Each structure stands twice: as structure tokens, then as C-alpha cells.
Amino acid sequence: ISEPNLASVQEIATGIYHVGATPAPAAAELWVDDIRLASPITEVGKAGAMYARLQASDVGDLSLGYVYQDGQFRQISQAPSYRSTGTLQATSSMRVDRFLPASLGIAMPVTMSYTASHTDPQLITGSDLRASDLQDLRKPRSDNTTVSVNLRRVVRSGGFLTRTLINPLSFNANFSGAAATTELSDASNSLWNYSLGWFAAGARRTRPLGLGGLAGNLPRWLRESETGRAIARANLALLPTSLRLNTNVSHTQGDYTSFLVPIRRLSDTLLKPVTSLQYLWRNNAGTTWQPLQMLTVSGDWTSTRDLREYPDSTTLGRLAGASRRQMLGVDVGVERDRNVTSGISLNPQLASWLRPRFTTSSSFILSRSLTTRNPVRIDGDTLGEYILPQTLNNARINEVGATIDPAVLLRRIFGDSSATGRYFSRLRLFDVTHRRTRQSTFDLAAFDPTLGYQLGIGGFDAFLQQGSDVAIGASQNWETSFTAGFDFPFGLAVTSSYQENHNDRYQRTNGDAFVVTRTRSRDWPSGVVSWSRVFRTGPFAIVQLSSSIRQREGSSSTPLLDGVSSAVSATTSRSVGPDMTVTLRNGVTVRGSGTFDRTESQDNGNIRRAVSDIVRADVFWSLKMPRGLSALRKPLRTTLSAQIRRSNDCLQREAGTCDIVSDIRGHDLRGSFEADVFGHVTGGLVFGWVVNDLRYLDRKTSTLSAALNFRIPLTTSGYN
């Protein structure tokens, strides 16, 4: 193709290369849509922005903003978007309570926002067709509107009924609506919700129990103890310290329609949008009560009811309609979710050196499916009543523990001024805890959960089975732990801990039988040894040494299908982590640390051994730069670090050697120099050398890097 009237001839050649055994087509055509050899497009792009704000004292404010950018506007070396866009943003807030009598003592802020954007495409997306040549083109646009209203009483004065019923009330209302249109879709969404809450909290109001006479008749050693004094000043609170009530109604609806072509057609009116609807009523109630100083009781209940009307064309829809309830003649829908939690905490102080504790808590979750899964038939026979499919979960955690201060106990026994009392005052607190956790899951449960099941009351059999329903899974876990420590002379300290865990996991198989997986683990010995000292003279200022030690043994056993043998696995790991920090008097800090791990695991007769060693050293110091580089001799902060690492795994099969599976070694050398160049501008040099040696793959890589950087603050305060 050529144009002879051009100053320089431009040619375009094309061809078709045919590959295959079949003969080439008899004829072929090549269509060229547009070839521009002269008169390039040189349209100038435009963009603009406008912003305005109105502040009406403390009554309200209004902000407006508009940004426009046409399709030819672009940055240097960028291609134009060929899509003109405009965005309008408006936000407003108003204190409506400023127009109400001040005697009401209420606050009522209202906030509103509106965002709208439109797009005028010059070309159809993904093509070079001009949008102006098409009629009824669907142009992208979107808008979003939100309104929020809050109402509460800020003045706490008033009569008894006002303080009790009106002051704790709060009301919130929110509305949002959005719509979005693209060339091939149309979507809209609306949301509104109303929330009414009542929250009352106050100081604990008590009345004495009058047990002073009883405490006076106790033996002197008990009467003068913490227990005797607690009995003498015991009091009772009849009212809870906090009470929470909340109700919320929310409605969400979304419609989405998709199209085949970007042009509006008459057939589009026959399309039915895909609608998603959610209409919920949530209620929550909770309380915290401290009847005695050492006793705290709490509980929370949350329920979500579905108010949506489901079609009766399916069995599940008819069952959802039959499960709806009424309250005071008003339809309140069907309960979809329920969550119940409770807790009791008992913390008496029997003596100044002994503080036992007992806590118990429970949790319950009910979840019903109203749109999927099949209905459940009670008793599992053909004559039983249908109920909605539901999943039930409950758990109960009991914990018993005590904190013992042996130093106070020994001083009481041997006296504060005795040598034994002074020596054992270095003993740290001793804490011991025993925790038991039980939980279960019933899927497609056909029973109505009783209060006992919701609170997790009863033996473990109640977690495994409820009537004729058997749990699909349950577990029982015991955990025992303690911590102790001692501060030796000359800055030496030792902290040790012990932890043992037993877990039995019950998983239902075919029928009502369970497969029990038992897991055991123990961490012992485990602790930290540390030593620190401050030197007043000499080159050393502070020296700190520490090392962590941990050994863990664990095993797991799962019965096989034959019911006789079991799959057993065991793991033993040992870890040592020394650490040293030395601060010299000239400001240099040297730190060295290491981690040495050894792990051995056995599974199905195979033994796997893993070794991981990491040694690291860091040096930090700061020197004043020479006057030739800095007239003020600003400090030059320097950091040097080195790390050596090694890790390898080997697998030993029965009566065989340990074959190497992985062997990785390497070392890192890194450094940095950083200084304040001028003002708040900071410059630095960072370099590094990293070596990775994958010996099991016979592959070794080395990386050398260096970077020069400057950090400039974005504020001008540092240049004044």
C-alpha cells in the first residue's frame, strides 16, 4: 500500500503463512480498518479541580469538591486514556441539637456524604470504535449517598426514671444507596439499619454482711490474716455493675443486571436482575455482676432473626415460613444464629503469700441454614417432624490456679531480719495452673439445645451425645503449667517453667463409633538463665549474658481401621539460645546471639533428624565525622553484622543409614553508614555480601550489593 503524494513513501506488506497437510484456502481477504500516515492527532488534554468549604461555627460544615480529566490528558510518556472522567464529592455534618431547647440535654449529629462520577468514553473499551458514532451507548457512571444520625443524652441529671431509663439510651440510624453502570452491567445497592441501645454502668454499690463478730471469734493467727480481715469487711452487691441491651434492624438489597452489548436495546427491558436480599433483626443482652469482692459473674446473649419472606416453592422455604414466630402480634421472623457466653471468676486472697483462683467459662453457637442443605427429620424416621438444618457448638473451660509468694511465706516463718528470710527473699512468684477444656460439634442436629448444653454443664458424655444425636466431633484437653524463679547474688537470675498437655480428639466414623486421637506433649526442662552487671570503671560499661533452654517431647496416636493397631508418631526437640550484649564505655555496643535446634521425629518406623544452627554478631558505634566532611562534626552511625547459618535434614528408614534430604549453609555480611547531611536530610551507604550454599543440590550462589540513599522529609519545619 503506498501513497505517491507523500514526501517519503510508506509501505506496509502482509502475508499469510499456512502450515498443515490440508491444502491452503482458495481465497482470503485482508481488511484494514484505518492507516494514518499523516496528520497525527494533536489534541490537548485538559484537567481541573475545584474545592470549597463552608464552616458554620459549631453548627455544621459543608465541603464540595469536583475533579475533571478528559480522555486526552496524560503525563509525559504516557498514552491517553480516551475516557473523560468527572467526580463530584460532597460531605456535610450538622448538629441538629443546636436548634432544639438546651434543656433537653441531647446531642444529635447528622452526617451526609454524596459521591458521583461519570465517564464519557471516546473509544469503546477494548476497541478503536468511536463512542460518538453509536447511539444509546451505555456510559459508565456511579453514585453513592450515605446518611448517618446519632441521638443520645449527654446530660446525666434528672429524676430517678430519667437517669435509669432515658440517660443510658442511644439511637443510631444509617442509610446508604449506591448505583453503578458500566458498558455491560447495571448494579444498585441500598442499605438501612436502625439501632437502639441501653447501657448502664456504675460503681459497685454494697452493703456490709455484718460478719465482723464472726471474724472476731476466729483464732488470732487467722483473725489477723488476709482471710480474717476479708471476712470482717465482707460486703454484698445486689445490683449488677453493668447491664447492656441492644437491638438492631438492618435491610440490605442489591440488584445486578448484565448485558451482552454496550448499546441499550429494547430486549434489555425483558432482563430480570439478580437480586440479593438480607433482612435481619439482631438482639444482644449482657451483664456483669460482682456480688462479692472476690466473685465476678458475667454473661452475654446474642440472637439474629431473619425477617425475609422465603418462597414456599421448596421444602426448606415452607419450613422456614412455618418456623416464623410472632411477638405482641408482630412477625419477628425465624432465628438464624444464636451465641451464648458465660463466665465466673473467683479470686479470694487467703493470705498475703497465697492467692488462689478459679475461673470457668462457656460458649455456645447455633447456626441454621435457611437457603441450602436439606431439612432434618426428628428421630430420623419417616414419621418424624422436619426442622431446619442446624449446627451446634459448645465449649466449657475450667481453670484452677494459685499464685504463691514464697519469699513472704518464709519471712513470716523465719522472720524478716533472719538470714534465712533475707536469702529466700530472692525467690520470685510461683504460679501453677491446671486447665481443662471440653468442646463438641453437632451437625444437622435434631434436638433442641437445652440450657445445660448451651452452658456446657455435665460430664464429657453430654458433649459426645445428646439423646439419640451423636456429635461429629468432640475433644477434651488438660493442660498443667507452672513458673518459678530465683535471683542469685551478683546479678545472676534463673527462671524456669513446666508445661504438660494432654488432648483427646473424638471423631465420629461410620455409625456412632468414634476414633480417638491422643496427643501428649511436655516442655521440660525449660527456662532462662541470665546475668548482668554494670561496671563503674574500666572499658566495659554494661555486660549482659543470657541463655534460653527448652526441651519438648510429644507423641500422637491414632487407631487404624483394623481396630487393633495404631499409627504412632513422636517428636523430641531441644533448643539452646545464648545471647550476649556488651556496651563499652566509648559507646560501642557488641552483641552476639545464637540458636541451636535439634529435632528428632519418628513416624511409621522412619526417623527424621533435623539440625539448625544460627550464629549472629552485631557491632554498633557512632563517631564524629572529620571537619573536612562536616564543619559541625555530626555523628556517623555505623552498623556491622555477620551471620553464619547451617541447617540439614536426614531421613533414616528401618535399619538403615540416615540419608541427607536437605543441607543448606551460608553466611551474611552486612554494614551501613548513616549521617545527617544537612538539616533533616539523612544520607547513608548500605552494603552486603550474601552466600547461599545448597550442598544437597550442589548449587552455590553469591550476591554482593551496595546502595547509596538519601531521606528527605516532606515537611518544611526542618529548614526554618
Side-chain angles (χ1 to χ4, degrees):
I1 302 173
S2 63
E3 293 189 9
N5 57 345
L6 295 179
S8 61
V9 177
Q10 304 290 331
E11 295 185 355
I12 296 178
T14 183
I16 299 177
Y17 179 69
H18 179 73
V19 178
T22 59
E29 292 181 341
L30 173 64
W31 290 79
V32 179
D33 183 72
D34 184 19
I35 298 178
R36 184 179 298 276
L37 302 178
S39 302
I41 297 176
T42 58
E43 297 181 12
V44 178
K46 300 180 291 297
M50 179 189 69
Y51 178 78
R53 183 181 181 186
L54 173 64
Q55 181 72 40
S57 184
D58 61 345
V59 176
D61 62 82
L62 174 63
S63 299
L64 293 174
Y66 182 75
V67 177
Y68 174 78
Q69 177 178 317
D70 72 1
Q72 295 295 331
F73 182 83
R74 72 274 193 186
Q75 300 295 332
I76 298 177
S77 74
Q78 289 184 352
S81 64
Y82 300 110
R83 300 172 71 87
S84 300
T85 59
T87 302
L88 172 66
Q89 290 184 335
T91 59
S92 175
S93 63
M94 180 176 296
R95 294 290 302 273
V96 180
D97 51 276
R98 292 290 188 263
F99 302 95
L100 301 176
S103 58
L104 296 178
I106 64 173
M108 189 176 177
V110 177
T111 59
M112 295 172 289
S113 66
Y114 175 75
T115 302
S117 64
H118 65 88
T119 301
D120 187 9
Q122 298 176 1
L123 299 176
I124 302 300
T125 304
S127 71
D128 57 357
L129 300 178
R130 292 184 178 273
S132 58
D133 296 337
L134 301 177
Q135 295 182 357
D136 296 329
L137 177 65
R138 197 176 291 106
K139 297 182 179 181
R141 61 183 302 111
S142 65
D143 62 85
N144 187 8
T145 304
T146 61
V147 180
S148 176
V149 180
N150 298 319
L151 177 62
R152 68 184 186 278
R153 197 165 192 268
V154 294
V155 177
R156 297 304 176 185
S157 60
F160 175 77
L161 293 179
T162 301
R163 295 194 311 269
T164 305
L165 300 179
I166 304 301
N167 291 348
L169 280 175
S170 63
F171 174 78
N172 299 313
N174 298 278
F175 168 80
S176 66
T181 300
T182 67
E183 294 175 348
L184 297 175
S185 66
D186 193 358
S188 63
N189 182 73
S190 64
L191 164 67
W192 57 261
N193 69 76
Y194 305 100
S195 177
L196 181 64
W198 187 87
F199 176 75
R204 183 171 175 264
R205 299 181 179 181
T206 63
R207 58 178 59 185
L209 293 177
L211 300 180
L214 176 62
N217 297 328
L218 297 175
R220 180 178 178 182
W221 64 271
L222 183 58
R223 182 175 64 251
E224 296 179 355
S225 66
E226 293 289 338
T227 304
R229 288 193 288 268
I231 294 175
R233 60 173 182 263
N235 52 58
L236 177 66
L238 299 177
L239 299 177
T241 54
S242 68
L243 186 61
R244 304 170 295 276
L245 300 173
N246 184 269
T247 182
N248 176 274
V249 179
S250 63
H251 183 279
T252 305
Q253 180 174 345
D255 297 315
Y256 180 83
T257 306
S258 60
F259 309 99
L260 295 177
V261 294
I263 301 175
R264 292 183 177 87
R265 299 182 301 178
L266 183 60
S267 58
D268 293 343
T269 58
L270 302 178
L271 297 177
K272 186 177 181 180
V274 178
T275 301
S276 61
L277 178 62
Q278 197 174 63
Y279 193 13
L280 302 176
W281 181 28
R282 294 184 177 91
N283 295 281
N284 172 263
T287 183
T288 301
W289 181 34
Q290 193 176 5
L292 301 175
Q293 188 68 31
M294 62 179 178
L295 179 64
T296 303
V297 181
S298 63
D300 280 277
W301 170 85
T302 303
S303 176
T304 302
R305 306 191 69 86
D306 196 331
L307 303 179
R308 179 182 172 183
E309 293 283 352
Y310 289 91
D312 58 358
S313 57
T314 62
T315 303
L316 196 59
R318 291 192 296 270
L319 187 58
S323 302
R324 304 177 73 91
R325 297 292 181 267
Q326 289 190 349
M327 184 176 65
L328 302 178
V330 179
D331 183 16
V332 294
V334 57
E335 186 177 36
R336 193 190 68 175
D337 303 300
R338 188 194 310 163
N339 191 347
V340 180
T341 61
S342 67
I344 299 176
S345 177
L346 181 63
N347 297 276
Q349 185 171 352
L350 302 182
S352 58
W353 56 271
L354 177 61
R355 295 184 179 182
R357 63 181 180 273
F358 170 76
T359 60
T360 179
S361 61
S362 70
S363 64
F364 167 79
I365 298 176
L366 175 146
S367 179
R368 290 193 176 102
S369 177
L370 305 181
T371 57
T372 59
R373 312 188 73 178
N374 295 323
V376 177
R377 190 185 291 273
I378 298 178
D379 298 331
D381 56 27
T382 58
L383 300 178
E385 180 185 359
Y386 279 113
I387 63 173
L388 292 171
Q390 59 184 1
T391 301
L392 308 178
N393 295 271
N394 75 332
R396 166 64 66 177
I397 302 176
N398 293 334
E399 179 179 312
V400 179
T403 301
I404 303 172
D405 193 340
V408 176
L409 175 61
L410 294 174
R411 286 200 302 267
R412 290 286 182 89
I413 297 176
F414 298 102
D416 294 338
S417 58
S418 64
T420 303
R422 291 195 302 271
Y423 180 78
F424 284 104
S425 64
R426 300 176 178 272
L427 283 169
R428 297 184 180 181
L429 295 178
F430 179 86
D431 189 271
V432 59
T433 302
H434 178 75
R435 182 185 296 110
R436 186 193 68 190
T437 304
R438 290 173 173 172
Q439 58 184 7
S440 67
T441 301
F442 288 81
D443 190 33
L444 298 178
F447 68 94
D448 189 19
T450 62
L451 181 61
Y453 179 81
Q454 296 182 51
L455 297 179
I457 299 175
F460 190 59
D461 292 340
F463 288 80
L464 292 175
Q465 187 170 357
Q466 287 284 319
S468 60
D469 285 55
V470 180
I472 63 170
S475 65
Q476 189 168 209
N477 184 81
W478 298 269
E479 181 180 340
T480 303
S481 62
F482 74 79
T483 58
F486 191 85
D487 295 328
F488 292 93
F490 308 109
L492 181 64
V494 177
T495 301
S496 63
S497 63
Y498 173 88
Q499 183 173 344
E500 186 173 358
N501 188 288
H502 292 214
N503 183 77
D504 294 341
R505 175 65 184 174
Y506 291 74
Q507 192 69 35
R508 191 179 70 185
T509 58
N510 296 331
D512 295 340
F514 288 98
V515 173
V516 183
T517 301
R518 304 184 187 277
T519 305
R520 306 288 184 265
S521 65
R522 182 180 65 178
D523 290 10
W524 179 258
S526 178
V528 177
V529 180
S530 62
W531 177 80
S532 63
R533 185 171 180 180
V534 178
F535 296 88
R536 298 182 179 178
T537 59
F540 301 104
I542 302 175
V543 177
Q544 296 175 328
L545 303 176
S546 66
S547 179
S548 61
I549 303 172
R550 180 185 180 186
Q551 176 174 313
R552 184 170 194 179
E553 299 176 351
S555 63
S556 177
S557 174
T558 303
L560 298 179
L561 295 179
D562 57 12
V564 179
S565 56
S566 300
V568 180
S569 62
T571 303
T572 302
S573 63
R574 301 175 181 87
S575 176
V576 178
D579 187 275
M580 177 191 69
T581 302
V582 178
T583 303
L584 303 180
R585 203 164 299 278
N586 59 2
V588 179
T589 300
V590 180
R591 181 181 179 183
S593 62
T595 303
F596 306 94
D597 295 330
R598 302 291 184 272
T599 304
E600 181 178 298
S601 58
Q602 301 182 18
D603 190 6
N604 297 327
N606 298 326
I607 300 176
R608 184 165 186 169
R609 296 185 176 92
V611 176
S612 177
D613 297 334
I614 299 177
V615 179
R616 182 182 177 89
D618 301 278
V619 182
F620 313 93
W621 77 89
S622 178
L623 298 175
K624 292 184 178 180
M625 292 188 294
R627 294 189 181 276
L629 298 177
S630 174
L632 299 179
R633 302 198 65 186
K634 294 184 177 181
L636 176 66
R637 298 175 291 274
T638 306
T639 301
L640 296 178
S641 63
Q643 178 178 280
I644 301 175
R645 60 188 184 278
R646 183 191 70 170
S647 65
N648 60 69
D649 293 352
C650 68
L651 181 63
Q652 179 180 347
R653 295 175 174 85
E654 297 181 1
T657 60
C658 198
D659 300 327
I660 298 297
V661 178
S662 173
D663 188 358
I664 303 175
R665 307 188 185 191
H667 62 264
D668 300 354
L669 297 177
R670 301 180 185 274
S672 66
F673 302 93
E674 187 179 79
D676 297 331
V677 181
F678 62 89
H680 286 191
V681 179
T682 302
L685 173 65
V686 181
F687 61 90
W689 180 39
V690 180
V691 176
N692 292 315
D693 187 3
L694 309 181
R695 295 196 171 186
Y696 69 105
L697 297 177
D698 194 18
R699 181 185 301 169
K700 186 176 182 180
T701 60
S702 178
T703 304
L704 182 64
S705 62
L708 182 65
N709 59 75
F710 293 92
R711 292 198 300 270
I712 304 175
L714 298 180
T715 61
T716 59
S717 58
Y719 305 101
N720 293 336

Short mmCIF file of all heavy atoms in Angstrom, two decimals, residues 7 21 55 57 162 194 355 418 477 614 635 642:
data_model
loop_
_atom_site.label_atom_id
_atom_site.label_comp_id
_atom_site.label_asym_id
_atom_site.label_seq_id
_atom_site.Cartn_x
_atom_site.Cartn_y
_atom_site.Cartn_z
N ALA A 7 5.80 12.89 0.93
CA ALA A 7 7.21 13.23 0.73
C ALA A 7 8.07 11.97 0.75
O ALA A 7 9.02 11.85 -0.03
CB ALA A 7 7.66 14.21 1.79
N ALA A 21 -1.20 -30.18 6.61
CA ALA A 21 -1.27 -31.11 5.50
C ALA A 21 -2.40 -30.78 4.54
O ALA A 21 -2.38 -31.15 3.38
CB ALA A 21 -1.44 -32.54 6.01
N GLN A 55 -17.86 26.63 56.76
CA GLN A 55 -17.88 26.29 58.18
C GLN A 55 -18.84 27.24 58.89
O GLN A 55 -18.62 28.45 58.94
CB GLN A 55 -16.47 26.43 58.78
CG GLN A 55 -16.39 26.07 60.25
CD GLN A 55 -16.52 24.58 60.49
OE1 GLN A 55 -15.97 23.78 59.73
NE2 GLN A 55 -17.24 24.19 61.52
N SER A 57 -19.71 27.93 62.16
CA SER A 57 -19.41 27.88 63.59
C SER A 57 -19.40 26.43 64.06
O SER A 57 -18.78 25.57 63.42
CB SER A 57 -20.42 28.73 64.37
OG SER A 57 -20.07 28.77 65.74
N THR A 162 -35.58 9.22 84.78
CA THR A 162 -34.79 9.78 83.69
C THR A 162 -33.38 9.22 83.70
O THR A 162 -32.82 8.84 82.66
CB THR A 162 -34.74 11.31 83.80
OG1 THR A 162 -36.09 11.82 83.75
CG2 THR A 162 -33.94 11.91 82.66
N TYR A 194 -31.30 0.50 61.79
CA TYR A 194 -31.63 1.28 62.98
C TYR A 194 -31.17 0.49 64.19
O TYR A 194 -31.37 -0.73 64.28
CB TYR A 194 -33.14 1.54 63.07
CG TYR A 194 -33.73 2.20 61.84
CD1 TYR A 194 -34.40 1.44 60.88
CD2 TYR A 194 -33.60 3.56 61.65
CE1 TYR A 194 -34.94 2.04 59.76
CE2 TYR A 194 -34.13 4.17 60.52
CZ TYR A 194 -34.80 3.41 59.58
OH TYR A 194 -35.32 4.01 58.47
N ARG A 355 -2.66 -16.61 96.79
CA ARG A 355 -3.82 -16.10 96.08
C ARG A 355 -4.32 -17.17 95.11
O ARG A 355 -3.88 -17.24 93.95
CB ARG A 355 -3.48 -14.82 95.31
CG ARG A 355 -3.09 -13.66 96.22
CD ARG A 355 -2.85 -12.40 95.42
NE ARG A 355 -2.50 -11.29 96.28
CZ ARG A 355 -2.26 -10.05 95.85
NH1 ARG A 355 -2.32 -9.79 94.54
NH2 ARG A 355 -1.95 -9.09 96.70
N SER A 418 15.93 -12.35 109.82
CA SER A 418 16.76 -13.55 109.87
C SER A 418 17.53 -13.71 108.56
O SER A 418 17.12 -13.21 107.51
CB SER A 418 15.91 -14.79 110.13
OG SER A 418 15.02 -15.00 109.06
N ASN A 477 -9.26 -31.63 76.66
CA ASN A 477 -7.87 -31.21 76.76
C ASN A 477 -7.54 -30.85 78.21
O ASN A 477 -8.33 -30.18 78.89
CB ASN A 477 -7.59 -30.01 75.85
CG ASN A 477 -6.15 -29.60 75.86
OD1 ASN A 477 -5.32 -30.19 75.18
ND2 ASN A 477 -5.82 -28.57 76.63
N ILE A 614 22.26 -21.16 63.98
CA ILE A 614 22.41 -19.78 63.51
C ILE A 614 23.25 -19.03 64.53
O ILE A 614 22.92 -19.01 65.74
CB ILE A 614 21.05 -19.09 63.33
CG1 ILE A 614 20.21 -19.82 62.28
CG2 ILE A 614 21.25 -17.64 62.91
CD1 ILE A 614 18.83 -19.23 62.10
N PRO A 635 27.55 13.23 63.94
CA PRO A 635 27.89 11.82 64.19
C PRO A 635 27.64 10.95 62.96
O PRO A 635 26.69 11.15 62.20
CB PRO A 635 26.96 11.43 65.34
CG PRO A 635 25.80 12.37 65.24
CD PRO A 635 26.36 13.66 64.73
N ALA A 642 27.23 -9.83 61.06
CA ALA A 642 27.65 -11.06 60.39
C ALA A 642 26.80 -12.20 60.91
O ALA A 642 26.45 -12.24 62.10
CB ALA A 642 29.13 -11.33 60.62
#
